[in-house]
Amino acid sequence: PNVDLYASRTIASVFGEVLVPVVSRANRKPFVRALELSVAGRAERFSDFGRTAKPKFGFNYRPNDWILLRSTLAASFRAPNLVQTNTTPLRRQIGADDGYRFDVTGLLSDGTAQRTVYRQGNQNLQPEEAKTWVAGLFALAPGNAGLR
């Protein structure tokens, strides 16, 4: 049997985003049917990992009616979950079946058996942070509005 665990975390967060249509139907130009810029941000406060604020910037550019180029640049943050940081050892009984190994070795210990697995978190884990850049091209096939 497993030991009883207790873990808790309080998180407060806020998110905001602004989309600015720089070029739209009203002020189109040659080779610029649409241009949009976006700025977003997320701020969070974790009871066990402190505060963080991460931005996201993006743009959508449409040179004509059938091509859209888009891109975003963002920063992200992920705190370890409560199981990953809990240092209380957990013991599990699992059924394991390694039919391939048993066929090679012929040993009963390599066949179907109950195995004991121990797992334990690491209280020293730190949050993961990343910077990402994503770009994409969307093209509508000329003459076929249903094919993208």
Side-chain angles (χ1 to χ4, degrees):
N2 289 321
V3 296
D4 291 333
L5 299 177
Y6 174 78
S8 68
R9 170 184 292 161
T10 302
I11 304 170
S13 62
V14 63
F15 173 82
E17 183 172 20
V18 175
L19 177 66
V20 179
V22 178
V23 177
S24 63
R25 284 183 189 251
N27 60 346
R28 287 182 178 167
K29 301 185 180 353
F31 303 107
V32 185
R33 303 285 287 178
L35 177 63
E36 298 174 333
L37 302 176
S38 64
V39 177
R42 180 179 192 89
E44 296 178 298
R45 185 180 68 229
F46 293 80
S47 58
D48 51 354
F49 284 102
R51 296 172 185 254
T52 184
K54 299 297 179 185
K56 179 179 173 184
F57 305 96
F59 81 91
N60 291 334
Y61 166 62
R62 186 180 292 277
N64 54 43
D65 288 334
W66 56 279
I67 291 178
L68 170 65
L69 299 167
R70 55 186 168 194
S71 182
T72 59
L73 175 65
S76 59
F77 176 92
R78 179 191 168 279
N81 67 43
L82 295 174
V83 173
Q84 292 174 313
T85 58
N86 193 311
T87 59
T88 305
L90 297 175
R91 187 182 83 181
R92 298 261 194 259
Q93 290 292 123
I94 62 168
D97 184 14
D98 190 347
Y100 297 107
R101 186 178 181 121
F102 175 74
D103 289 344
V104 173
T105 66
L107 298 173
L108 291 177
S109 60
D110 287 338
T112 302
Q114 286 290 318
R115 309 231 195 275
T116 302
V117 177
Y118 294 94
R119 295 185 182 166
Q120 184 173 0
N122 180 348
Q123 67 186 3
N124 297 319
L125 283 179
Q126 296 300 309
E128 299 170 15
E129 296 192 44
K131 289 186 170 63
T132 57
W133 175 69
V134 178
L137 169 69
F138 173 86
L140 182 64
N144 189 345
L147 182 61
R148 294 181 179 181

